Amino acid sequence: MYKVNKGCVDIEFLVLGMLSNNTYLISDGTATLVVDPSCHADEILEALGDRKLDAIVLTHGHYDHVGAANELREATGATVIASAIDAPMIESGSPALGSGRKMPPCPIDTLVEDGDIVEIGSMAWKVVLTPGHTKGSMCLFIDPRFGNHPEGSPVLVSGDTLFCGSIGRTDFQGGDMNAMRRSLKRLAVLPDETVVLPGHNSTTKIGNERKRVFAYYA
């Protein structure tokens, strides 16, 4: 288990699966959410310990981000949250990335759209729809006023939209480079100190990506 420091909420993550997915456990000290449970629900449950899981957030519908979602939902009763656009992909268990591999279907309890506010405990996360990697990819942003560490930095859950020094692929079905560029422009207006939690690889900050990503793509 790894920890991310200086954010306005408590952040831990596991690296799971063959594609080394970051599965985040985020808490305000009372409520906890899991972001993109890739696989190995047993490891995620062990990492949760005695904490109640309140919500499961899926940033997009690819199998390596949702593989353990249904098992976690059944084990904990947590609410599953996803964009209205990618929800059908997740609920149908459709083949992943053209590989023929079948995703375990998972019901979506809460459908969200751009600009919605997702309240989990005292946390208020703003939904930022960021198509490009998939049609319904989304990010979640929280202002320090709504975290349990108001002196900390804002936090962006970026899924496979923005990585440390790179961006998500757009050559899969549903991908769109022009849409990705528009999405990155939206993220580029966030404060430099914003902690970025990507779906793969290292965490970063918005300010670090101005020359590495935004100057090139946005």
Side-chain angles (χ1 to χ4, degrees):
M1 177 90 81
Y2 302 92
K3 290 189 176 182
V4 179
N5 298 318
K6 298 184 179 179
C8 63
V9 286
D10 298 325
I11 306 164
E12 301 167 300
F13 68 100
L14 302 167
V15 180
L16 300 174
M18 294 184 65
L19 297 181
S20 298
N21 286 74
N22 296 332
T23 293
Y24 294 97
L25 286 70
I26 303 176
S27 175
D28 64 357
T30 57
T32 301
L33 65 141
V34 163
V35 178
D36 290 352
S38 173
C39 55
H40 302 311
D42 55 338
E43 292 187 33
I44 300 170
L45 290 168
E46 182 179 355
L48 282 166
D50 295 333
R51 289 177 288 185
K52 176 180 179 290
L53 181 60
D54 298 277
I56 300 165
V57 174
L58 307 177
T59 62
H60 63 288
H62 286 161
Y63 77 94
D64 58 317
H65 291 257
V66 306
N70 191 59
E71 189 174 349
L72 269 186
R73 180 180 185 269
E74 291 183 344
T76 65
T79 297
V80 178
I81 302 167
S83 76
I85 297 172
D86 270 15
M89 186 193 320
I90 299 165
E91 293 189 313
S92 68
S94 56
L97 310 183
S99 68
R101 181 175 176 178
K102 199 79 169 173
M103 295 187 295
C106 181
I108 306 301
D109 301 297
T110 302
L111 301 174
V112 295
E113 298 182 355
D114 188 55
D116 284 352
I117 302 297
V118 175
E119 296 184 2
I120 303 167
S122 65
M123 296 177 284
W125 295 86
K126 184 174 183 179
V127 175
V128 184
L129 199 64
T130 52
H133 185 61
T134 67
K135 291 182 179 180
S137 288
M138 69 175 186
C139 298
L140 293 180
F141 176 80
I142 187 168
D143 184 280
R145 293 174 296 168
F146 305 111
N148 58 320
H149 302 296
E151 74 287 356
S153 297
V155 173
L156 178 77
V157 174
S158 66
D160 281 5
T161 298
L162 175 64
F163 297 135
C164 179
S166 186
I167 63 171
R169 291 176 62 173
T170 60
D171 57 335
F172 298 132
Q173 183 176 359
D176 183 329
M177 189 63 207
N178 288 329
M180 176 66 84
R181 290 181 185 276
R182 292 191 293 271
S183 294
L184 292 169
K185 285 181 180 179
R186 299 189 67 193
L187 300 184
V189 304
L190 296 176
D192 281 355
E193 67 271 21
T194 302
V195 175
V196 178
L197 308 180
H200 303 268
N201 303 323
S202 302
T203 60
T204 184
K205 291 189 175 183
I206 288 291
N208 295 340
E209 305 312 321
R210 295 215 178 275
K211 291 184 178 179
R212 296 192 299 207
V213 169
F214 298 135
Y216 185 76
Y217 292 104

